[in-house]
């Protein structure tokens, strides 16, 4: 496993829509392993492939000591509302409140291409929503209730 460089806000790869994964091969497994070590090396709760400059629909997360790989994730249901502060490895030290669903169910493929569903509440739901946003070129600073504060301190979008 190798760590990869995390790209920061301002980099255009963070604003692109990532493409679905079609080949569940060694190249994918290497990327997943690298994303896992990159996330842990940076104390992150989640990492999306565009954050390491790869425009593919791939996410790794670790919430409540549960590591999960999501390939081609799709949120198929959501309910409730929850507001908490979020951060992002691509943003730096700024943290801001974001409203997210309290509970979601996501459908995804595993690293071998087998589909599964996962239901999560609170931080697991939040983390999945945040990472799926990355695959669509959306950052939490777009959605934060504290956007004015972020812009006032010179934050880039
Ligand atoms: Ni992020």
């Amino acid at each position: 496993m190798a760590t990869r460089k995390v790209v920061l806000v301002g980099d255009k790869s963070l604003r692109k829509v990532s493409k679905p994964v079609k080949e569940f091969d060694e190249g994918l497994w290497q990327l997943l392993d690298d994303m896992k070590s990159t996330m842990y090396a940076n104390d992150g709760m989640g990492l999306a492939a565009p954050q390491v400059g790869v425009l593919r629909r791939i996410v790794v997360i670790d919430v409540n000591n549960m590591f999960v790989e999501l390939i081609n994730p799709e949120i198929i249901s959501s309910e409730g509302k929850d507001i908490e502060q979020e951060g992002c490895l691509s943003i730096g030290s700024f943290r801001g409140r974001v409203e997210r669903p309290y509970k979601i169910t996501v459908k995804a493929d595993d690293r071998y291409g087998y589909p599964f569903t996962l239901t999560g509440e609170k931080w697991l739901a939040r983390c999945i929503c945040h990472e799926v946003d990355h695959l669509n070129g959306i950052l939490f600073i777009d959605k934060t209730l504290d956007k004015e504060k972020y812009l006032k301190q010179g934050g880039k979008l």
Side-chain angles (χ1 to χ4, degrees):
M1 285 202 258
T3 57
R4 300 199 187 190
K5 191 168 173 279
V6 176
V7 301
L8 300 176
V9 64
D11 187 300
K12 61 185 183 338
S13 59
L14 292 174
R15 292 309 194 172
K16 299 253 168 80
V17 176
S18 291
K19 293 198 170 77
V21 172
K22 288 178 182 156
E23 307 285 336
F24 296 82
D25 58 8
E26 280 180 24
L28 172 67
W29 304 335
Q30 181 66 62
L31 174 61
L32 282 163
D33 291 344
D34 289 357
M35 285 174 63
K36 182 181 186 178
S37 54
T38 303
M39 175 178 71
Y40 287 133
N42 290 284
D43 285 321
M45 290 171 74
L47 189 71
Q51 292 184 275
V52 292
V54 178
L55 296 175
R56 291 284 166 187
R57 304 189 80 79
I58 304 166
V59 159
V60 295
I61 59 172
D62 186 327
V63 179
N64 307 325
N65 294 313
M66 183 180 74
F67 175 74
V68 187
E69 297 172 342
L70 301 168
I71 323 291
N72 301 328
E74 207 180 308
I75 293 167
I76 54 174
S77 73
S78 62
E79 61 184 86
K81 272 185 200 172
D82 184 58
I83 297 175
E84 289 286 358
Q85 280 203 337
E86 287 183 21
C88 178
L89 295 179
S90 294
I91 304 297
S93 62
F94 177 78
R95 297 176 66 77
R97 293 167 298 152
V98 182
E99 185 180 302
R100 301 279 189 191
Y102 182 77
K103 182 178 178 181
I104 61 117
T105 296
V106 65
K107 183 180 119 197
D109 296 321
D110 71 10
R111 61 163 58 204
Y112 306 104
Y114 292 104
F116 67 97
T117 60
L118 173 68
T119 297
E121 294 184 354
K122 189 71 185 176
W123 285 101
L124 181 55
R126 174 171 299 277
C127 189
I128 292 168
C129 290
H130 177 118
E131 300 310 331
V132 170
D133 274 353
H134 273 300
L135 305 181
N136 295 318
I138 298 165
L139 301 172
F140 88 93
I141 46 173
D142 304 335
K143 295 184 163 179
T144 179
L145 304 172
D146 302 308
K147 191 166 181 174
E148 205 173 312
K149 188 175 146 199
Y150 176 71
L151 294 175
K152 218 177 256 177
Q153 68 184 47
K156 283 188 266 183
L157 288 174

